């Protein structure tokens, strides 16, 4: 697979395409690095101008350029899993919820799942089936936690890894010119 993509990109560059007009997304940094090196061996220095990397790395580049379009500043922070978990623990504590019922890792996983389905807090909370499901699982405050988590991230000018994907999807949908 890597070989086919590498040759296709090199071919496009040899046909006159500008490297900054080519977007190549991979799942790992290692794959992106390897592909870029192979392309560079074929076409030279032009390979360094390719938009090539992992989904998260390329989307963070795009979001830094277009950050004001989505209400962030370009120097936003990217929260790793530990940062997100820590924020969730403090929210759960502030809301005086049982941390045995609302385990930060489980809440984080559910938030990630919602974001991966492009369901943000307002849409999540507007769906009565979600609340009924949360109540059935003894976590009726999940929607409020999710909403507070996203609000705090925005106030801190921060995004988690899922936000990099979600906000890029929203950006592309709302701004086709981007």
């Amino acid at each position: 697979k890597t070989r086919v993509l590498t040759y296709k990109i090199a071919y496009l560059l040899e046909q006159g395409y500008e490297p900054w007009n080519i977007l190549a997304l991979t799942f790992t940094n290692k794959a992106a690095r390897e592909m870029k090196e192979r392309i560079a061996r074929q076409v030279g220095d032009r390979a360094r101008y390719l938009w090539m990397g992992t989904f998260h790395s390329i989307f963070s580049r795009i979001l830094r350029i277009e950050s004001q379009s989505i209400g962030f500043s370009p120097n936003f922070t990217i929260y790793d899993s530990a940062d997100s978990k820590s924020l969730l623990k403090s929210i759960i504590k502030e809301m005086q919820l049982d941390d045995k019922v609302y385990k930060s890792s489980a809440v984080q996983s559910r938030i990630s799942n919602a974001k991966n389905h492009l369901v943000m807090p307002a849409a999540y909370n507007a769906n009565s089936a979600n609340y009924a499901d949360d109540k059935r699982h003894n976590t009726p405050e999940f929607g409020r936690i999710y909403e507070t988590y996203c609000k705090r991230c925005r106030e801190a000018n921060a995004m988690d890894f899922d936000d990099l994907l979600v906000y890029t999807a929203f950006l592309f949908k709302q701004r086709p010119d981007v």
Side-chain angles (χ1 to χ4, degrees), residues 101-102 110 124 128-143:
V101 174
Y102 292 93
R110 289 185 58 201
Y124 185 90
S128 60
N130 288 335
Y131 181 73
D133 194 46
D134 291 342
K135 209 169 172 188
R136 205 172 24 260
H137 289 95
N138 199 31
T139 56
E141 296 298 324
F142 172 76

